[in-house]
Structures are given as C-alpha cells and as structure tokens.
C-alpha cells in the first residue's frame, strides 16, 4: 500500500468517508471493504481453447451466453440501497451491475503509472474508485481471456447461504434473522438460507445484508445475485460434454426470452472450435 499512500499525498483530501467507520485513510478504506466485494467474471470469447480447458472441465462443461453483454440490466432487480446514498459507495457507482473490461497491465495502475491517469475527481468519487480499480486490473499474461467483470457489494445480494451465523456480533439482528419467515435452515449442510429479496423494507434489508457481509471471511458462505430471466440468451455445450438439452433446467431463462442451444465441434483443419445449433 506504500504506492497508494504516495499517490494520496497529491489528492486535495487524503481521507475518505466510510459508511461504517466514518473518515478513514484510503488505505484503511480498502482494508475495511475489500472482502465485501463480489466479482462476476465474463469473457468476450466463446471459442478460446484455453478457456474451455481451464474453466469448463476440459471441454466437458457448459458456457452460458449473456444477453446484452455490458448492460446493467442482466439482474432481476439489483439492490441499490439508499442507506448508502451519503457514502462514497454511491457517489461513484462501480457497483451498478455493469460489466467493465479488465485492464491488463504489468502492475496496479496507481503503483506503476499513477500520474498518467486522471485522479482529479477522486475526492468526489471517493474510496470506491480506488477499490473498484483493484478488481478491474489483471496481469497482462491473462489478456487472452478477454475478461469483463461485474463488481458488486455483498450487501446487494439477493440471497445468502451462511454457515457461521453464530459469529454475528449483534445478537438482536442474529435472532431476527433466525426467526424470520425469509430464513430457512438447511439441516443437510447446517447452513441458513436467507432470501433477502423477500424483505420489503429497504432499511431492514440493508441492515440484514450489511451484517451478513461482515461474515464474508468464511469462504463457505455464498452470496447470490439473481439474474433476470432474459439475461441468458444461449447455451454452449462443450466438445466433450455429454449433457443433453433436456437435462438442463432452462424454464426460467425461457420464460421471457428466447434461449438457443449450440454444441462445440472440432475443426479438423485448424486448432479451433466451431459451433452448430442444436
């Protein structure tokens, strides 16, 4: 963080507002919030052999094609709590559901070439600007992935599966969650399933979701955002995939949109994939 601290010396304001901790340094802001951000990773490429090998179990898997790539409307209803309206998380909104392209670099932007970029609005945009940049940069060795990322606050989750609810510090919120009708206990995995979308009161939902975000240090916990039914427009079956289209539960995706199925086939003349519609 030394390079970030050096950069901050040139800002008009060297502290930033944190909704939980009030005025803090940029360094401390990142420390407080970096584990409360979720990342959805997407790719421009549907036929990259390395991507199929690494992320689809050696071509045995399935790829979901996202409709309106780069748009902010792929979620059913993205939670944007007004409780954060006075914080830097909303002044600058990298957590709006938009897919943004990865910057492939040799190092973090604010470390290697920090004075080649415009940081003049940083005091208005707040700590979220620096925080989001961390998730939107990657070593140039990965440039073949052609990756785009959607970064979201865990407080925006529509459903949370949490295995360590007992670690919640606030006893009242803990008891309210356990006894609520939007909470179910799954005895099979000994976890609570909390459907935040069922909470009508925005303030209550934010209080609950922000408390659950504090438990993100446990990697068994899962924070889920619900896609809109028309978000997935096509489904690609891998070259070695033995799944049939009838095996896929695609009713939700088909309910408001048109869903196409394609299967990868090998081009015998070149090292590449082609696709045929099923």
């Amino acid at each position: 963080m030394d390079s970030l601290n050096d950069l901050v010396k040139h800002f008009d304001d060297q502290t930033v507002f944190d909704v939980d901790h009030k005025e803090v340094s940029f360094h401390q802001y990142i420390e407080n919030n970096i584990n409360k951000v979720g990342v959805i990773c997407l790719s421009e490429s549907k036929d990259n052999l390395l991507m199929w090998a690494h992320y689809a179990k050696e071509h045995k898997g399935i790829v979901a094609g996202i409709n309106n790539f780069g748009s902010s409307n792929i979620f059913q209803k993205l939670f944007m709590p007004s409780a954060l309206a006075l914080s830097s998380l909303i002044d600058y909104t990298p957590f709006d559901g938009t897919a943004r392209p990865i910057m492939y670099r040799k190092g973090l932007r604010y470390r290697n070439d920090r004075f080649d970029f415009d940081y003049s609005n940083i005091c208005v945009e707040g700590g979220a600007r620096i925080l989001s940049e961390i998730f939107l940069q990657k070593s140039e060795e990965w440039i073949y992935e052609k990756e785009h990322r959607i970064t979201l606050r865990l407080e925006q989750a529509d459903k949370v599966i949490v295995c360590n609810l007992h670690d919640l510090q606030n006893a009242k919120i803990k008891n309210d969650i356990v006894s609520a009708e939007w909470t179910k206990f799954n005895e099979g995995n000994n976890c609570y399933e909390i459907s935040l979308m069922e909470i009508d009161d925005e303030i209550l939902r934010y209080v609950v979701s922000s408390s659950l975000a504090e438990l993100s240090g446990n990697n068994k916990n899962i924070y889920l955002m619900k896609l809109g039914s028309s978000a997935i427009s096509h489904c690609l079956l891998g070259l070695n995939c033995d799944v049939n289209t009838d095996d896929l539960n695609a009713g939700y995706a088909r309910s408001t949109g048109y869903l196409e199925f394609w299967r990868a086939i090998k081009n015998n003349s070149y090292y590449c994939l082609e696709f045929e519609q099923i």
Side-chain angles (χ1 to χ4, degrees), residues 6-236:
D6 289 340
L7 176 62
V8 169
K9 293 176 183 177
H10 299 272
F11 295 168
D12 292 335
D13 295 327
Q14 297 182 17
T15 60
V16 62
F17 180 80
D18 187 311
V19 68
D20 294 320
H21 304 277
K22 308 309 178 185
E23 291 293 329
V24 296
S25 67
F26 279 81
H27 180 173
Q28 190 60 51
Y29 179 90
I30 291 175
E31 291 293 323
N32 294 343
N33 291 281
I34 196 167
N35 291 322
K36 299 178 185 177
V37 176
V39 179
I40 301 171
C41 302
L42 308 169
S43 172
E44 294 178 27
S45 177
K46 68 179 181 182
D47 56 4
N48 188 287
L49 294 175
L50 287 176
M51 297 290 283
W52 276 98
H54 294 165
Y55 300 109
K57 201 177 180 182
E58 299 178 350
H59 299 256
K60 297 183 181 72
I62 296 172
V63 167
I66 301 297
N67 193 24
N68 296 322
F69 190 85
S71 173
S72 60
N73 63 359
I74 68 170
F75 299 97
Q76 188 181 74
K77 186 178 180 181
L78 188 62
F79 183 52
M80 297 289 287
S82 58
L84 292 174
L86 298 179
S87 81
S88 58
L89 297 178
I90 296 300
D91 293 336
Y92 176 67
T93 56
F95 309 115
D96 60 1
T98 300
R100 293 176 169 84
I102 287 291
M103 296 177 285
Y104 295 98
R105 325 183 57 76
K106 285 190 176 297
L108 287 172
R109 189 162 81 174
Y110 60 71
R111 176 188 301 153
N112 289 29
D113 44 9
R114 54 190 181 275
F115 297 115
D116 294 335
F117 294 89
D118 181 12
Y119 284 96
S120 59
N121 291 328
I122 195 68
C123 297
V124 175
E125 295 167 345
R129 163 75 180 276
I130 296 291
L131 180 63
S132 64
E133 284 193 1
I134 293 174
F135 295 97
L136 294 175
Q137 298 181 60
K138 208 169 181 179
S139 167
E140 61 185 12
E141 303 296 329
W142 300 95
I143 196 169
Y144 71 88
E145 293 186 338
K146 299 181 181 178
E147 185 177 352
H148 293 237
R149 286 182 176 179
I150 300 174
T151 55
L152 295 171
R153 295 282 300 189
L154 297 184
E155 289 97 323
Q156 295 173 274
D158 294 319
K159 183 177 181 178
V160 179
I161 301 174
V162 60
C163 302
N164 62 329
L165 191 62
H166 57 275
D167 289 338
L168 208 60
Q169 297 297 311
N170 190 311
K172 183 181 185 308
I173 294 178
K174 186 193 310 181
N175 292 332
D176 289 345
I177 292 174
V178 170
S179 60
E181 59 183 10
W182 30 262
T183 298
K184 296 180 180 177
F185 182 71
N186 188 322
E187 295 183 357
N189 56 20
N190 200 35
C191 291
Y192 287 93
E193 299 178 2
I194 300 136
S195 299
L196 296 166
M197 291 186 75
E198 297 180 16
I199 303 177
D200 295 325
D201 186 277
E202 181 186 283
I203 295 176
L204 175 60
R205 175 170 175 174
Y206 174 68
V207 169
V208 173
S209 63
S210 59
S211 298
L212 295 174
E214 296 289 343
L215 302 177
S216 61
N218 187 324
N219 59 17
K220 293 183 179 180
N221 295 340
I222 303 174
Y223 298 81
L224 300 168
M225 282 72 176
K226 187 169 186 176
L227 293 180
S229 55
S230 62
I232 298 177
S233 58
H234 55 281
C235 182
L236 308 175

